[in-house]
Amino acid sequence: MTVAPQRADTRARLLAERATRARRLVVDMAASPRGCHLGGSLSVLDILIAALDRADRGDGTEVVLSKGHAAAALYAALHVTGVLAENPAPHYGQAGHPYTGHPGPKVPGVIFPTGSLGHGVPYAAGWAMARRLAGRPGLGIAIAGDGELQEGLVWETCQVAAARGLGTFVLVVDRNGGQNDGLVADISPLPRLAERFAAFGFETAEVDGHDPAALAEVLDGDRSGATRPLAVVAATVKGKGVPAVEGKAAAHYVTIDRARAEKWKRVIR
């Protein structure tokens, strides 16, 4: 789909404004008694918001957050996009509320609960395959972390998706370079990542994962006639938007007090 420049600019500003609001909500969740996976939540937010906006078209598109530990980002993104009416931040991690550390089906907008890494990727591919077999339109978008690519199930799914010519399956990699125990480059490096997907038979794209216009453009394409799945390698920054934690491995899981949360929220633009 080609979008007129002025309309595209307006949409990009809208997505950026949503991301700013969502980042502040994620910081609020880091100030909950249990804290949250802050770094990976802040890195994936622009991707999530662009993907959810794509799904809002109502054409059978489903978004699966495979890196389920970034649940805070998903809750915040669902809220600022209007899918989730309730502000989840005051209730995050609280007994009696559904906003747990990994997304579950009690949260409006969450069809596929995720937690164990790698599982959301086949969920999305399965969604795309089911829609195709039923003769119905629909795109399955999986959002995975680069550390998550160490799971063999991801590559088993890629192999099947390519073999079946599943052009309605899109895998977006939030490439923030970090994982639980340190840097991906130190633990299990992923050089020439786009080339790896191409070798599996995917179409590939590499984008700035914090550029709303670039994300929207790559996700908006009409893939109803595509014969190869698409892998989008989105370069991101762990802790994006909060200078105190940007790019730091220690940003992986954070618990902060209320005063620090208010300070961090003031610098998010």
Side-chain angles (χ1 to χ4, degrees):
M1 181 178 70
T2 301
V3 180
Q6 184 174 6
R7 184 180 168 193
D9 289 346
T10 300
R11 185 179 177 206
R13 285 195 296 272
L14 172 64
L15 297 181
E17 183 271 334
R18 287 175 175 172
T20 298
R21 289 170 51 206
R23 284 196 165 86
R24 291 171 180 155
L25 293 177
V26 169
V27 169
D28 279 336
M29 290 183 239
S32 68
R34 298 180 62 179
C36 75
H37 281 92
L38 180 69
S41 291
L42 294 175
S43 72
V44 79
L45 260 175
D46 295 287
I47 300 169
L48 259 176
I49 286 173
L52 290 171
D53 191 63
R54 168 65 178 81
D56 191 47
R57 193 177 299 174
D59 61 356
T61 295
E62 189 60 48
V63 178
V64 182
L65 178 65
S66 193
K67 46 176 287 185
H69 57 285
L74 180 58
Y75 303 150
L78 288 170
H79 180 59
V80 301
T81 54
V83 177
L84 177 60
E86 181 178 51
N87 178 0
H91 312 297
Y92 181 79
Q94 304 294 312
H97 295 278
Y99 311 114
T100 52
H102 291 82
K106 293 182 180 179
V107 177
V110 176
I111 295 179
F112 299 101
T114 51
S116 298
L117 292 173
H119 289 187
V121 177
Y123 282 169
W127 171 267
M129 179 69 77
R131 300 287 291 193
R132 188 172 76 175
L133 291 173
R136 303 171 65 187
L139 194 65
I141 301 176
I143 301 173
D146 50 356
E148 186 177 4
L149 300 185
Q150 293 161 16
E151 297 289 343
L153 184 56
V154 172
W155 299 103
E156 292 175 34
T157 303
C158 289
Q159 185 164 309
V160 172
R164 298 300 179 97
L166 196 57
T168 50
F169 169 55
V170 178
L171 171 56
V172 186
V173 179
D174 171 22
R175 194 170 199 189
N176 65 25
Q179 60 183 91
N180 183 54
D181 300 321
L183 300 177
V184 174
D186 293 335
I187 297 169
S188 184
L190 291 165
R192 302 188 300 278
L193 182 56
E195 292 178 34
R196 294 184 186 210
F197 284 113
F200 268 78
F202 277 56
E203 297 177 32
T204 63
E206 296 181 84
V207 300
D208 178 345
H210 299 304
D211 182 338
L215 289 164
E217 182 177 359
V218 76
L219 293 174
D220 276 356
D222 178 7
R223 301 199 57 78
S224 58
T227 57
R228 292 192 295 161
L230 171 65
V232 180
V233 180
T236 63
V237 176
K238 197 154 188 169
K240 175 68 176 179
V242 179
V245 297
E246 273 190 357
K248 296 180 180 177
H252 189 78
Y253 197 100
V254 171
T255 304
I256 55 177
D257 58 28
R258 196 66 252 165
R260 180 165 297 187
E262 294 303 321
K263 180 180 178 181
W264 286 4
K265 286 164 60 179
R266 285 194 292 271
V267 301
I268 294 175
R269 295 288 185 272

